[in-house]
Amino acid sequence: MLGVTHAYPREKALKFRAIDIYFFQGGDPRTSAFLFFAFLDTPTNNNREGEEKDTYLCHISLSYPHRAGFLGRDEPIEVPSSSTERLALMKEISQDWADPFKSIIQDLPDNAEPKRLSIEDWAPGMEGREWDNLGGRVTLVGDSAGAMTMYRGEAYNHGILSTQTLLKNLLPILQSPTFISDPFSIPSSTALATAISTYESELIARTRPAVLASRAACRDAHDYERIGEKSPLVARRIENLAIEEDEGIVKWVEHQGESLKEGPEVAIEA
């Protein structure tokens, strides 16, 4: 994945805002490349001066399938080592796009510095991915407990849910008469261990399917023919996904109460 930020002048940025005032994303049916675009600020809330003040700072991510045949190459295209080469690749990928999507990338200046962005995830609950909470004295929250790819946009949501669940389990201890009367008292080791273990069980049950769904969405994003209404790339986001795992393969079983067994099968390596 390649990522770059650029401040677009108002006239051009307003064409992008006509699509969405926050962000948008989409795939190229010809190449299976994938674009993500987001506004980072506006002329009313940036600290730039002069002509640069009347601009919108934007983030652009462009990812593409790492396989032979992409852009007519015999071998998979590796991420170039220099910013100049990375920018040239982004412009080559987008050269046949329709506007305004084409101009998002084609109008990037020659001194733009696209960075290489790694696409990685970490599904909790797998063998070798356990952690010791030291009797309830330490635990994981957010990306540290279930990093996922960006293609379903759920990582932040799950971080909030995990924080909520952690507090729900800890508040009875922190609000107990003993702790309120003496905030420096040490809670019962049994109570802490139970609270954190309960939190971690909910975390793993909820987050693991989300990580794997995001992984499947990433794969679909770079194989345009796989994108349909039941693809995890576009399917509705819900708090708890039901999945079925069989020898390292994960399949959708249920989504929003509707069985997907009769729909297109989505299988991903765990």
Side-chain angles (χ1 to χ4, degrees):
M1 176 186 286
L2 299 168
V4 65
T5 59
H6 179 60
Y8 292 91
R10 176 185 295 271
E11 180 181 0
K12 187 169 293 295
L14 291 179
K15 295 179 181 180
F16 308 151
R17 282 174 65 87
I19 301 173
D20 193 271
I21 63 173
Y22 299 113
F23 67 90
F24 52 82
Q25 58 187 358
D28 179 356
R30 183 178 65 88
T31 66
S32 288
F34 196 82
L35 170 74
F36 175 84
F37 177 94
F39 288 98
L40 302 181
D41 69 21
T42 72
T44 60
N45 67 353
N46 72 58
N47 296 320
R48 295 183 289 279
E49 299 179 350
E51 293 182 357
E52 288 293 308
K53 178 67 176 176
D54 197 29
T55 59
Y56 292 74
L57 186 65
C58 304
H59 171 79
I60 304 99
S61 292
L62 180 60
S63 51
Y64 58 90
H66 185 258
R67 57 173 174 257
F70 180 69
L71 296 184
R73 308 290 207 280
D74 292 334
E75 299 293 332
I77 298 177
E78 304 296 336
V79 175
S81 58
S82 72
S83 294
T84 300
E85 292 173 313
R86 289 192 285 266
L87 179 61
L89 177 58
M90 293 179 72
K91 292 190 174 185
E92 181 180 1
I93 292 172
S94 60
Q95 64 184 346
D96 294 326
W97 291 2
D99 275 326
F101 309 103
K102 178 179 179 178
S103 62
I104 289 174
I105 295 176
Q106 297 298 321
D107 289 351
L108 290 170
D110 292 341
N111 62 353
E113 298 184 350
K115 307 296 184 184
R116 175 175 182 164
L117 306 177
S118 297
I119 303 176
E120 301 177 352
D121 65 21
W122 195 85
M126 297 177 63
E127 184 177 353
R129 294 187 177 178
E130 306 87 0
W131 60 87
D132 184 357
N133 63 33
L134 301 179
R137 289 178 291 168
V138 63
T139 190
L140 303 179
V141 183
D143 285 350
S144 65
M148 59 189 78
T149 72
M150 56 172 278
Y151 294 92
R152 279 175 60 84
E154 291 193 299
Y156 188 79
N157 295 344
H158 279 279
I160 292 174
L161 287 172
S162 295
T163 302
Q164 180 186 49
T165 302
L166 179 60
L167 286 174
K168 182 178 69 175
N169 284 281
L170 286 178
L171 281 177
I173 298 174
L174 300 178
Q175 293 176 339
S176 65
T178 300
F179 197 81
I180 291 175
S181 62
D182 182 8
F184 295 100
S185 64
I186 300 177
S188 161
S189 58
T190 300
L192 270 180
T194 299
I196 296 302
S197 294
T198 301
Y199 154 73
E200 291 177 347
S201 295
E202 189 279 338
L203 165 76
I204 293 171
R206 170 176 46 78
T207 305
R208 176 178 169 78
V211 173
L212 298 176
S214 294
R215 188 185 299 177
C218 175
R219 187 187 63 179
D220 286 4
H222 302 100
D223 190 351
Y224 193 84
E225 293 183 356
R226 294 185 63 92
I227 302 176
E229 63 178 16
K230 294 180 179 178
S231 164
L233 179 66
V234 296
R236 291 184 62 187
R237 279 60 169 156
I238 59 174
E239 181 174 338
N240 291 289
L241 287 172
I243 62 173
E244 182 179 84
E245 298 186 47
D246 182 18
E247 297 182 354
I249 299 296
V250 177
K251 300 179 181 179
W252 289 87
V253 175
E254 186 177 338
H255 184 274
Q256 198 68 10
E258 176 186 0
S259 172
L260 297 187
K261 289 183 178 180
E262 302 304 321
E265 182 180 278
V266 177
I268 57 179
E269 295 182 2

